[in-house]
Amino acid sequence: MNATKKLNEILVSLFNSVLKMEEKAVKDSSKHNLSITEVHTLSAIGAGKAKTMTQVSASLKISISTLTVAINRLVKKGYVNRFRVPEDRRMVKIELTEEGIDAVHEHEAFHLKMVDEAISELNETEKELLIQSLDNINEFFKMQKVKPIKSDKPLKLKPMKLGESEIPVPIWQGGMGIGVSLSKLSAAVAKCGGVGIISISQPGFLEPDFYTNPVEANIRALQRYIREALREVKDVVNKGLIGVNIMCAGRHYNEYVKAALEAGAQVIVSGAGLPTSLPGLCKNSKAKLVPIVSSARAAALIIKTWAKKYNRVPDAIVFEGPEAGGHLGFKEEQLEMAQGDFYKTILEIKAEIKDLQNCPLIVGGGIFTKEDVQKALAYGADGVQIGTRFVTTEECDVHPNFKNAYIDCKKEDIVIIKSPVGMPGRAIHNAFVKRTEKGNIPVEKCNSCIISCKSEEAPYCITQALLNAAHGDVENGLVFCGSKAYKANKIEKVCDIFKELTS
Ligand SMILES: Cc1cc2nc3c(=O)[nH]c(=O)nc-3n(C[C@H](O)[C@H](O)[C@H](O)COP(=O)(O)O)c2cc1C
């Protein structure tokens, strides 16, 4: 018998045997009147602290409604307590009663005894080998669940559900500061059925009091841009949504989130750090909350924290890969490996969120052509996020010199730069970047934009560098761009890009 056949027989038989033994143990030797599914539900609640329904449903990988039916029964039987959290009456938590804890301990003891007896004849080396081999097989099966789709037919970008909203075309425009994505670009994208994003990186840079009163100037301008974009798309049929992008690394995060909600932002996208406090800031708002991550680990951490602290899951997740523009979510030394692992990471994040109800995955970084979109979809993306391609459009808010810098640049002009933010960035290798390579450029006036930046030690002032570029001085400013910016060869209309990518 060959190894594949033998292994298949072992796996199938092992699975059936464990299941039968568990059922028998629960039926014959347990003092509790529970089914095996009920015991597994109790184990997922666990003997520790009370959990939210979202946490338990995510760990069991079942829907909240299925879990509710199961919990109703377990409450009736006396194994689970369900209560409202006194500090937030809207939040319901569940915990095990003493009977419930006893049932879980009894089940755990059964499992340990079963495994202990099964491996009692093995020596330590054999045990280690067995653990390693089974671990590998387990990993393989996890990834198999989310294998890329093999299809000869072109894949279609389907409308995306985002909470109760529907986005007709799942193309998200990435938020781009400073001054690159404001009301005109975001409205043009939403008019085509996508999600238009206004960047909350110094949106007030054109306000007369920006240098003396930056926070107020930013809030005033931000709210005006959001309202303008919403007004612009108001009567459009089949429109998408207007959102904002806010970096966790920036100061005044809470004030900017509050201001964006007040002006009617429909989506809040937040990255450059983990937006763990975001749901708490958006408690009474219908805005959709979307974290940006660069790994499955970060996605898992956000999902876990939001479920535990706020009883909610993200409305969608953006995975931004290492080919993106602006600041990158990877250390410089990780970039090459992350580039090679881009599609594998899509699979891993998809596996992480697969069983959450309604949490689409949007993939960005280096998406420029229809082929790029097709490949991301084949690996499980529900939508794409695009920054660079939208810069060279008629509607993009940035200075024309900035757009032309993209059109004029070659592949070798696009480099990774060091930033005072503490993450690497991608930009055009112009006179400014060459100056930074020779030594630090002293910060003349610090407006305290980034939490981690120390102006005395900073290689240059990031805000001033980006402001110069936003004002059109593209040689003495920092021109952020994605890895594919050299592919831009003309100024396009946003609707033509939509047609090309979706046709
Ligand atoms: C000029 C420029 C500015 C950007 N600024 C921001 C920003 O302020 N915050 C942010 O989260 N992402 C920023 N990004 C990243 C984009 O939102 C986008 O997700 C990313 O660039 C997608 O990759 P692509 O440009 O290859 O399409 C910026 C990108 C560019 C090109």
Side-chain angles (χ1 to χ4, degrees):
M1 191 185 291
N2 69 22
T4 316
K5 219 166 156 197
K6 181 80 190 154
L7 199 58
N8 179 50
E9 264 185 33
I10 296 174
L11 287 173
V12 172
S13 152
L14 205 65
F15 176 76
N16 286 330
S17 305
V18 171
L19 211 65
K20 275 198 194 124
M21 277 171 81
E22 271 195 317
E23 271 165 5
K24 194 164 165 4
V26 165
K27 206 160 140 230
D28 298 351
S29 42
S30 170
K31 54 181 180 291
H32 299 284
N33 172 25
L34 293 163
S35 71
I36 187 68
T37 318
E38 286 173 330
V39 175
H40 287 160
T41 308
L42 296 178
S43 294
I45 300 169
K49 276 204 232 152
K51 293 211 170 81
T52 62
M53 292 290 278
T54 318
Q55 274 177 298
V56 178
S57 72
S59 99
L60 282 169
K61 303 191 189 320
I62 57 171
S63 68
I64 297 259
S65 50
T66 309
L67 179 65
T68 307
V69 177
I71 295 296
N72 288 347
R73 224 174 21 231
L74 287 165
V75 170
K76 229 175 180 177
K77 284 183 168 182
Y79 286 89
V80 171
N81 267 336
R82 182 170 30 203
F83 61 97
R84 286 195 183 276
V85 179
E87 307 86 64
D88 182 353
R89 303 285 303 158
R90 287 164 307 172
M91 194 185 275
V92 174
K93 283 198 172 182
I94 44 181
E95 65 184 4
L96 298 184
T97 60
E98 290 210 350
E99 277 294 274
I101 294 172
D102 189 63
V104 167
H105 285 163
E106 185 193 82
H107 192 63
E108 275 168 7
F110 155 76
H111 264 275
L112 291 180
K113 188 164 172 275
M114 176 181 72
V115 177
D116 213 34
E117 281 174 9
I119 62 167
S120 61
E121 306 278 294
L122 303 183
N123 65 32
E124 286 313 304
T125 323
E126 286 169 332
K127 279 180 199 166
E128 249 175 56
L129 258 172
L130 182 69
I131 291 172
Q132 215 168 54
S133 311
L134 288 178
D135 208 29
N136 287 344
I137 294 175
N138 192 27
E139 265 306 301
F140 170 79
F141 282 127
K142 267 206 262 167
M143 295 299 281
Q144 283 293 299
K145 279 208 297 184
V146 284
K147 247 190 146 174
I149 300 156
K150 281 203 180 107
S151 165
D152 298 332
K153 288 194 207 129
L155 297 161
K156 270 201 154 168
L157 278 165
K158 287 188 255 151
M160 178 185 281
K161 283 284 281 174
L162 195 67
E164 72 291 348
S165 309
E166 187 171 282
I167 301 160
V169 187
I171 293 182
W172 291 49
Q173 163 251 311
M176 292 178 282
I178 295 176
V180 182
S181 67
L182 298 173
S183 55
K184 278 197 247 135
L185 179 57
S186 55
V189 169
K191 270 185 187 172
C192 292
V195 179
I197 303 285
I198 294 169
S199 166
I200 310 194
S201 277
Q202 317 290 357
F205 77 108
L206 293 174
E207 298 293 294
D209 57 344
F210 176 67
Y211 284 97
T212 51
N213 207 359
V215 180
E216 250 185 71
N218 280 335
I219 288 179
R220 188 186 321 122
L222 170 70
Q223 295 198 321
R224 192 178 64 239
Y225 290 129
I226 294 171
R227 289 183 179 123
E228 265 171 26
L230 288 170
R231 214 168 28 241
E232 184 71 19
V233 299
K234 190 169 152 267
D235 300 320
V236 177
V237 212
N238 258 343
K239 60 178 171 282
L241 300 175
I242 297 289
V244 295
N245 172 305
I246 172 152
M247 297 205 298
C248 305
R251 285 187 204 273
H252 309 291
Y253 184 82
N254 297 5
E255 286 124 290
Y256 290 148
V257 170
K258 196 170 151 257
L261 295 176
E262 205 178 270
Q266 294 161 317
V267 184
I268 310 260
V269 182
S270 191
L274 295 179
T276 45
S277 63
L278 187 60
L281 300 171
C282 303
K283 258 188 193 157
N284 300 316
S285 153
K286 281 191 176 161
K288 304 293 169 280
L289 308 186
V290 181
I292 304 178
V293 300
S294 51
S295 67
R297 209 167 137 247
L301 198 64
I302 292 171
I303 291 165
K304 201 169 149 207
T305 313
W306 284 20
K308 192 167 169 205
K309 270 173 85 177
Y310 307 107
N311 194 23
R312 92 173 265 179
V313 289
D315 293 297
I317 284 187
V318 172
F319 162 48
E320 199 170 274
E323 300 219 23
H327 289 112
L328 306 170
F330 305 86
K331 293 194 178 123
E332 198 170 345
E333 60 275 15
Q334 296 174 328
L335 280 174
E336 204 181 312
M337 191 148 128
Q339 239 141 37
D341 284 349
F342 180 61
Y343 293 103
K344 185 169 152 255
T345 310
I346 301 180
L347 294 178
E348 285 170 354
I349 300 178
K350 196 71 193 173
E352 202 57 63
I353 64 174
K354 199 165 180 279
D355 300 301
L356 296 183
Q357 266 188 328
N358 245 338
C359 181
L361 175 62
I362 300 128
V363 171
I367 307 281
F368 202 93
T369 61
K370 194 173 163 187
E371 287 67 44
D372 298 330
V373 175
Q374 286 288 307
K375 202 157 170 199
L377 289 190
Y379 276 82
D382 301 291
V384 289
Q385 171 157 297
I386 297 175
T388 299
R389 178 92 195 250
F390 284 126
V391 171
T392 46
T393 56
E394 285 176 13
E395 297 91 338
C396 178
D397 299 83
V398 77
H399 195 284
N401 292 357
F402 196 103
K403 302 179 189 179
N404 287 330
Y406 275 36
I407 293 174
D408 296 339
C409 81
K410 296 190 214 62
K411 193 173 180 181
E412 55 275 23
D413 298 332
I414 299 168
V415 294
I416 297 298
I417 55 112
K418 286 196 185 355
S419 157
V421 174
M423 307 158 172
R426 182 175 279 106
I428 295 179
H429 196 227
N430 58 4
F432 172 78
V433 175
K434 286 177 195 156
R435 264 177 71 202
T436 65
E437 286 163 354
K438 289 195 186 122
N440 288 2
I441 304 173
V443 177
E444 280 170 20
K445 188 185 174 302
C446 173
N447 80 350
S448 306
C449 57
I450 303 290
I451 296 167
S452 59
C453 179
K454 293 194 183 91
S455 63
E456 328 76 63
E457 294 165 20
Y460 55 89
C461 171
I462 184 78
T463 295
Q464 194 54 52
L466 292 170
L467 277 174
N468 290 350
H471 284 299
D473 188 355
V474 291
E475 276 307 311
N476 296 304
L478 189 57
V479 182
F480 270 156
C481 69
S483 68
K484 305 267 175 80
Y486 69 96
K487 291 198 170 193
N489 55 16
K490 60 175 190 283
I491 300 290
E492 303 176 275
K493 283 198 169 90
V494 166
C495 63
D496 290 335
I497 297 179
F498 266 77
K499 266 187 219 138
E500 183 192 313
L501 300 182
T502 57
S503 63

